Amino acid sequence: MVKIASEQRLRVLHLEDSPADQSLVRRIMVMSYPLAEVLHVDSLEAFLDRLHQTHIDIILADYRLNGFTALDAWQHVVQLPNPPPFVLLSGAIGEAAAVDVMRLGISDYLLKDDIARLPHVAARALEVHHAKKERALAVSRLAESEAQLAALTEHLQTSIEQERACIAREIHDDIGGALTAVKFDIAWIGRHADTPEMKEHALAASEMLQHAIGASQRIMMNLRPPILEQGLVAAVRWLASGFERRTGASTTVRVANEQMQVTSDVQLVAYRTTQEALTNAAKYASPSKVVIDLSDREGVLTLEIADDGCGMSPEMRTKPKAFGLKGLQERARTVGGWLDISSQPGKGTCITLTVPITATAAHSTEEF
């Protein structure tokens, strides 16, 4: 049973050309809604004037009127940004025809022979209308929140990459330079050492410094790979070569174009996607073969990393701490692209990044 709020203020627009029916509708509505204001109109012109000049909570309309029908009125109502509920109130339409017009978006219908149910039908139409408004508002707020989250994600990713670039420069300029200078000094000490023990210690220290220099270079490459300056194809091939060397898995890179013209932010997203996919494959998949396809055909950059490893179940992809894959999906969104992950236990994994290249200009960020 629909609960009727008798104290609710309502402005009812009643489209009816019968004075007797107008009087009856007013009396029935006011009995259930003492604060209701029922505005009667009997022409399409008067209906439109009231509709556009006055706030209307609900519309009641006879089906057949002098020279037009309720459907003519509905065609104007449906064009409103937030149309009020529209109830067909008629004795000149069959049930089948009434159902057909409701498919057009009309809220409800009621035969005049059953007019005593009008307050109930009106209350139900108002509640449904209110629920639709609340749902539309919730959808709008959700879309707004998602847009804000996407903007925040893009900002965070940009900030992270900028900070990585700064740290990489500091490692190169300060730490790398200092380590190299110390290595030269220790080499000098080793050449001028008086005892075998001093020479041995100098050599050990030089080897440790070389290890530290190598570690700093690897960290610097991971933070901001200089290989990207040679283009996306070269960067992907460099990642594939390192992966094959570390894991022993056969790694093939297939490219459609050696010189791909994409913005720096798209390059970075594709590079990070490849890097994360290969890292996950090395940690969890134990593949014997990996194939990387890179294409920029038809204005779309497509990067596909497929392995023949152990695969993963859907639960693994949706678990709360699956931040790596979720991070890749968010990265793709920052450049107007999307990420697809296809995997089954025992059948390998395929990660596909797709970015419309023509749409990336709006997402392009400054080079780091």
Side-chain angles (χ1 to χ4, degrees):
M1 175 67 71
V2 178
K3 183 179 179 181
I4 300 174
S6 60
E7 73 282 359
Q8 184 175 352
R9 290 182 177 274
L10 286 180
R11 182 172 285 137
V12 182
L13 182 57
H14 184 204
L15 181 56
E16 174 62 68
D17 56 8
S18 168
D21 287 342
Q22 290 179 0
S23 177
L24 180 59
V25 166
R26 181 188 296 275
R27 186 166 64 251
I28 290 176
M29 288 300 295
V30 172
M31 285 177 60
S32 296
Y33 294 90
L35 300 180
E37 179 185 1
V38 183
L39 307 174
H40 297 295
V41 291
D42 58 7
S43 68
L44 188 57
E45 293 76 13
F47 175 82
L48 295 178
D49 286 342
R50 287 288 192 179
L51 188 64
H52 292 291
Q53 295 178 10
T54 310
H55 170 74
I56 301 298
D57 294 303
I58 186 170
I59 297 171
L60 308 176
D62 192 5
Y63 182 67
R64 297 191 185 280
L65 298 112
N66 187 17
F68 67 101
T69 70
L71 294 184
D72 297 312
W74 170 247
Q75 293 304 318
H76 292 278
V77 173
V78 76
Q79 295 177 22
L80 297 175
N82 184 27
F86 192 107
V87 176
L88 201 60
L89 180 60
S90 178
I93 183 172
E95 185 173 347
V99 171
D100 288 338
V101 298
M102 284 183 63
R103 290 174 180 165
L104 300 176
I106 290 176
S107 304
D108 208 341
Y109 79 96
L110 180 67
L111 297 177
K112 288 183 177 180
D113 292 343
D114 199 17
I115 200 168
R117 296 184 61 250
L118 178 58
H120 175 89
V121 172
R124 181 173 61 194
L126 286 165
E127 287 193 358
V128 170
H129 178 68
H130 178 73
K132 287 181 178 178
K133 284 180 61 178
E134 290 295 318
R135 180 180 179 184
L137 181 61
V139 170
S140 175
R141 288 175 175 171
L142 177 61
E144 183 179 351
S145 297
E146 289 178 343
Q148 291 175 347
L149 178 61
L152 176 60
T153 300
E154 183 173 358
H155 171 72
L156 290 175
Q157 293 290 355
T158 301
S159 299
I160 289 170
E161 292 298 340
Q162 288 175 336
E163 189 63 28
R164 282 177 167 176
C166 290
I167 295 172
R169 282 193 294 267
E170 289 182 7
I171 291 174
H172 178 271
D173 297 340
D174 297 336
I175 298 177
L179 289 175
T180 301
V182 172
K183 181 181 178 182
F184 282 133
D185 286 340
I186 290 179
W188 184 90
I189 292 172
R191 289 196 301 272
H192 295 81
D194 296 331
T195 64
E197 289 80 3
M198 290 184 64
K199 289 182 179 290
E200 184 178 347
H201 280 291
L203 179 61
S206 179
E207 290 175 350
M208 288 298 297
L209 277 171
Q210 186 59 47
H211 175 75
I213 292 171
S216 67
Q217 290 175 341
R218 286 195 303 273
I219 294 171
M220 185 176 61
M221 289 288 288
N222 285 331
L223 287 171
R224 180 60 186 174
I227 190 69
L228 277 174
E229 296 175 4
Q230 300 179 31
L232 179 58
V233 173
V236 170
R237 282 179 171 152
W238 180 78
L239 285 173
S241 175
F243 174 81
E244 186 174 55
R245 186 172 58 254
R246 292 191 309 273
T247 65
S250 171
T251 307
T252 304
V253 178
R254 301 187 298 219
V255 298
N257 180 9
E258 290 291 334
Q259 301 297 326
M260 295 189 178
Q261 301 300 319
V262 295
T263 58
S264 59
D265 52 341
V266 175
Q267 277 192 355
L268 192 57
V269 168
Y271 177 88
R272 295 298 185 199
T273 299
T274 307
Q275 186 180 46
E276 182 70 18
L278 292 178
T279 299
N280 286 343
K283 283 184 178 180
Y284 310 114
S286 301
S288 61
K289 182 174 68 174
V290 174
V291 177
I292 302 174
D293 283 294
L294 188 60
S295 169
D296 62 350
R297 294 193 178 106
E298 299 180 0
V300 177
L301 177 71
T302 305
L303 170 67
E304 182 180 283
I305 306 105
D307 67 62
D308 63 351
C310 62
M312 55 183 169
S313 64
E315 293 77 17
M316 292 178 64
R317 282 180 274 171
T318 58
K319 64 181 182 179
K321 294 186 178 181
F323 295 121
L325 296 177
K326 292 175 183 176
L328 291 181
Q329 291 172 331
E330 291 301 323
R331 276 186 179 274
R333 291 192 186 100
T334 64
V335 291
W338 58 93
L339 192 80
D340 179 69
I341 303 169
S342 175
S343 183
Q344 292 183 20
K347 296 185 178 180
T349 299
C350 180
I351 295 177
T352 305
L353 171 69
T354 306
V355 182
I357 300 174
T358 54
T360 58
H363 296 269
S364 181
T365 58
E366 72 174 275
E367 294 197 22
F368 306 124

